[in-house]
Amino acid sequence: MNAKLTFLGTGTSQGVPIIGCRCAVCTSADERDKRFRSSALVEAGGLTILIDAGPDFRSQMLRAGVGHLDAILLTHNHKDHTGGLDDVRSLNYIDRKAVEIYCEPKVEETIRREYAYAFATPKYPGSPEWNIHRIGDEPFEVVSNDGYYLEWVHDVGYRYHPEEGPVPPPRRVTVIPIRGFHDTMPVLGFRFGDIAYLTDMSALPEEEFKKLQGLKHLTLNTVGYKKHHSHFSLDEALELARRIGAEHTWLTHLSHTFPPHAAFSEDLRALCAERGITSDVRPAYDGLVLE
């Protein structure tokens, strides 16, 4: 399966620049140092799939020119990864489709609690329309969102409208989930063909490494040089890059404690050379496309 991944956001939970900070990274003129909260767009098998919908979802969709999503995959339930879900209302209205969300049961519980108005009966007019699919550790299929159309009725809300014309055969993409831990919280990363996207992890169980062999592109999270309770440190991320051995490893969920992008790229080249890491390790940036 050929896949393309676009980084929509590569920053930490506060984004970069951080409000009020005047450090060299937060005041950098380099656009690669301006980072939305971490998220990615995957195009594979004719499907358009979003990984995480944080508080910058609206801006990310506008910047990337996205007008249709076949699915949203959620890695976990923290607000910097789910805080933009209400804004799928725009896609409901324009695309006339409910948005298909794939997540673990505990993530669904959080969504139902934090967005209770979207599940209430009677439903508040204009609430987002979602269909939730539960996933776990086993590979799963994402199916093209070619289902029923939505019809907007003023002051009433959405209702399902009979299908307009023939529905094309469903397109399917198999996704391999990668289990990790964010401190003690179970989270998921995802593999699409020869691209894997892992974020918000501080531990990767031994049995998951077999799912990460033969990669062209690997994405790993790191927030700083020091050991962190819920994210890989830079040393830990580099050791994973060495062990997994993807052709290219891209670092995301980056904080302003790292140097500006250009200097950080040079530092990584030197560190990899010193440690004999053969993977091409670089910092990702918003808008970067992997194929």
Side-chain angles (χ1 to χ4, degrees), residues 235 237-243 245-246 249 268-269 271-281:
D235 281 344
L238 290 176
E239 174 55 25
L240 284 171
R242 183 199 64 75
R243 180 174 176 187
T249 299
L268 286 173
R269 276 192 281 273
L271 285 170
C272 289
E274 289 174 8
R275 302 178 187 200
I277 297 172
T278 57
S279 182
D280 170 35
V281 183

Side-chain angles (χ1 to χ4, degrees), residues 1-28:
M1 174 178 62
N2 293 326
K4 178 170 79 171
L5 183 146
T6 302
F7 289 97
L8 301 178
T10 55
T12 56
S13 59
Q14 296 184 75
V16 181
I18 290 177
I19 295 171
C21 183
R22 303 300 299 169
C23 75
V25 174
C26 288
T27 57
S28 170

Side-chain angles (χ1 to χ4, degrees), residues 53 57 68-72 84-102 111-112 115-133 145 147-153 155-161:
F57 171 81
H68 170 79
L69 290 174
D70 288 291
I72 298 176
L85 284 173
D86 182 78
D87 281 323
V88 307
R89 291 180 296 135
S90 300
L91 295 177
N92 294 154
Y93 188 77
I94 298 297
D95 199 30
R96 298 181 60 200
K97 302 284 179 64
V99 170
E100 309 293 326
I101 296 177
Y102 294 71
I111 293 171
R112 288 183 176 273
Y115 295 96
Y117 60 90
F119 300 95
T121 303
K123 193 168 185 176
Y124 182 81
S127 298
E129 291 284 342
W130 306 319
N131 292 322
I132 298 182
H133 307 261
N145 187 3
Y148 290 95
Y149 287 91
L150 296 176
E151 180 180 42
W152 173 253
V153 180
D155 286 340
V156 175
Y158 290 105
R159 67 185 182 189
Y160 285 99
H161 190 276

Side-chain angles (χ1 to χ4, degrees), residues 10-16 18 36-38 80 223 253-256:
T10 55
T12 56
S13 59
Q14 296 184 75
V16 181
I18 290 177
F36 283 142
R37 267 62 74 94
S38 289
D80 55 320
V223 295
H253 212 286
L254 301 170
S255 77
H256 67 161

